[in-house]
Amino acid sequence: MATDFKSLPVIDISPLLAKIDDPKAEQDLGVCDVAKQLDHACKQAGFFYVKGHGIDDSLIKDVRSLSRNFFDLPYEEKLKIKLTPQAGYRGYQRLCENITKGVPDMHEAIDCYTEVSEGMYGALGKTMEGCNQWPLNPPNYKQVMEEYTNICTDLSRKIMQGIALALGGPKDLFEGDIAGNAFWVLRIIGYPGVSMPKNDIGCGAHTDYGLLTLVNQDDGITALQVRNLSGEWVSAPPIPGTFVCNIGDMLKILTNGLYESTFHRVINCSPKYRVSVAYFYETNFDAAVEPLDICKQKTGGTKFKKAIYGEHLVSKVKHSVYGHVMDLEFSVGEM
């Protein structure tokens, strides 16, 4: 359960990345220290910054810059990759098309997912079948974004190995049937600036779907807010050289509520257009997610029912796009 945190911790994960592939990583003092910090952050806030992540700063900035170039295009050009159910809910969403809790969000976006071929997951995956729609302009956009996604996948897997150690398990705790073939989601989001201060919601209060999110946000614009236990909204300002990380619904279930998927929102009060690229590291698409034994021992009993990740994702995707919101929260004692 989240606490009354007033700020988000910054964790240098370079000692984890340096040693996590070592067979004796669990015994390394640097790895253990990072795991301890991850454990504290996941319990206290469900949100944290990571630095020392090893991703080239030029790539991080290119991702935002090229995304801004796309959003600057004429509306008719952007509609060439319009998001539709036929495209597996991939592509461009116009301003206010995304819905959170029945309210249109003041942003535009490109939605991308792990590509799903026909019949890959049977009826479970039918809704998400399709290939990502990348714009032809900027011309190198697809190449840059696919490279970025691959790097974020590798980084997220290693952070999740650190979280596995934080829980007292082996580093491969989340491999195999849980996330051995992790699904991913990428949302490239543009938030219009405002001419005068107001509280238009760029993205309404929500939790994320999966295991771990990496947020690459524009420098110099504070818009992301995280809700603490008292209901106060705590700002998560951009810190150069870092990602904002947060945990999602599936990790909350796996940890039996030991770690919190915290509500957050975006309000851009700046006159500047804001770009944010959110990478979501998920479980396997067909994973049956339920509390881990190691977490049930720590928390006592089973507090959450089993969830099929693909069903959870499809419900959220369908209802966020078309406004028929299904609020999938998991209550204590629910079986």
Side-chain angles (χ1 to χ4, degrees), residues 65-134:
S65 176
L66 289 171
S67 299
R68 187 183 306 277
N69 291 345
F70 170 79
F71 289 128
D72 282 343
L73 294 173
Y75 180 61
E76 295 75 15
E77 184 71 18
K78 291 184 282 191
L79 281 181
K80 291 180 179 179
I81 60 164
K82 178 177 172 57
L83 183 152
T84 65
Q86 293 72 29
Y89 292 89
R90 294 163 169 81
Y92 171 71
Q93 275 189 313
R94 65 183 185 273
L95 196 66
C96 295
E97 187 174 19
N98 196 77
I99 306 292
T100 302
K101 296 186 182 295
V103 180
D105 291 323
M106 190 60 64
H107 72 246
E108 54 184 332
I110 303 175
D111 286 1
C112 307
Y113 302 90
T114 299
E115 295 187 347
V116 178
S117 59
E118 185 176 354
M120 187 172 178
Y121 296 110
L124 176 66
K126 187 67 176 176
T127 299
M128 303 307 298
E129 288 178 359
C131 298
N132 291 316
Q133 298 194 79
W134 296 108

Side-chain angles (χ1 to χ4, degrees), residues 2-6 226-234 262-263:
T3 63
D4 282 334
F5 57 89
K6 302 299 182 184
V226 185
R227 194 172 75 185
N228 69 14
L229 186 60
S230 294
E232 300 170 324
W233 289 102
V234 177
T262 311
F263 277 91

